[in-house]
Amino acid sequence: MATALVLSAGGMFAAWEAGVWKSLSHRFKPDLIVGASAGAWNEWMDSATARIGLFVVEVPRLGARLVRDSEITWRHLAATCTTPFGLPPVRIQGRRYVYGGLLGALPLWAAQEMGATRAIAVNALTTLPFRVIRIEPSTELGSVRDAVCWSRPNVERWIEQGERDANRVATSITM
């Protein structure tokens, strides 16, 4: 059974995801890690032990593109975090790509496409149906403004909350 750790988009809420992974990394090692937007950046926290994937959206046709392992460049990482109406698309091999979360903040489909038969979804925003162990914030993380503006106290609070939230559900994760 291939287990994927799936990390959602979420702007600065990715700090909460970091707290979740800080706790979970002591309990299991995923076979693959998939992320959208800020979740794609977080997947690099433990990329040496798992296959990785991120997704970007080609514009203007709005086609999802899954980029895997050694195919991933700094341009793909930049593209998956371009916010709609905030940052321009990133040109990669003659095509323009933007924010992966545009078509879905939690890329469970990408984990399945990479061969996962089970997913642990770390979701700072929304979720879709798929065999999922849900880890979501136990309390509101903050406003939309908090998700896009740097605040050291918020980041520290979200990491701690992420650890607490992961500990709360960690007993349901068995390998």
Side-chain angles (χ1 to χ4, degrees):
M1 176 184 323
T3 300
L5 177 66
V6 182
L7 303 169
S8 76
M12 291 307 301
F13 295 153
W16 173 81
E17 288 179 346
V20 169
W21 182 235
K22 184 177 177 184
S23 174
L24 294 181
S25 66
H26 303 292
R27 293 178 169 84
F28 88 105
K29 296 291 181 204
D31 299 299
L32 58 109
I33 306 171
V34 179
S37 190
W41 283 87
N42 272 340
E43 73 187 3
W44 292 90
M45 291 184 291
D46 201 14
S47 63
T49 61
R51 295 176 18 236
I52 57 173
L54 63 80
F55 87 100
V56 291
V57 176
E58 184 182 348
V59 290
R61 72 177 191 88
L62 297 180
R65 175 164 181 236
L66 175 61
V67 187
R68 304 170 193 219
D69 301 311
S70 63
E71 297 176 331
I72 299 170
T73 68
W74 69 267
R75 290 182 184 276
H76 295 101
L77 285 165
T80 197
C81 290
T82 59
T83 55
F85 311 110
L87 296 170
V90 175
R91 190 169 294 278
I92 304 169
Q93 297 177 337
R95 297 182 181 199
R96 296 179 311 141
Y97 294 96
V98 296
Y99 172 62
L102 185 64
L103 296 180
L106 188 64
L108 293 166
W109 66 271
Q112 195 169 27
E113 187 171 312
M114 289 181 70
T117 55
R118 182 171 94 153
I120 297 170
V122 180
N123 183 24
L125 300 176
T126 61
T127 180
L128 302 170
F130 180 62
R131 288 175 235 151
V132 174
I133 297 169
R134 288 176 74 166
I135 302 173
E136 295 182 326
S138 56
T139 60
E140 289 292 327
L141 296 176
S143 67
V144 171
R145 184 180 188 284
D146 291 334
V148 297
C149 295
W150 166 255
S151 163
R152 183 182 186 104
N154 280 348
V155 168
E156 291 172 349
R157 179 174 53 85
W158 293 329
I159 290 171
E160 290 173 8
Q161 182 179 342
E163 286 183 85
R164 285 191 311 273
D165 292 342
N167 287 332
R168 179 175 39 83
V169 299
T171 57
S172 65
I173 300 171
T174 58
M175 297 311 286

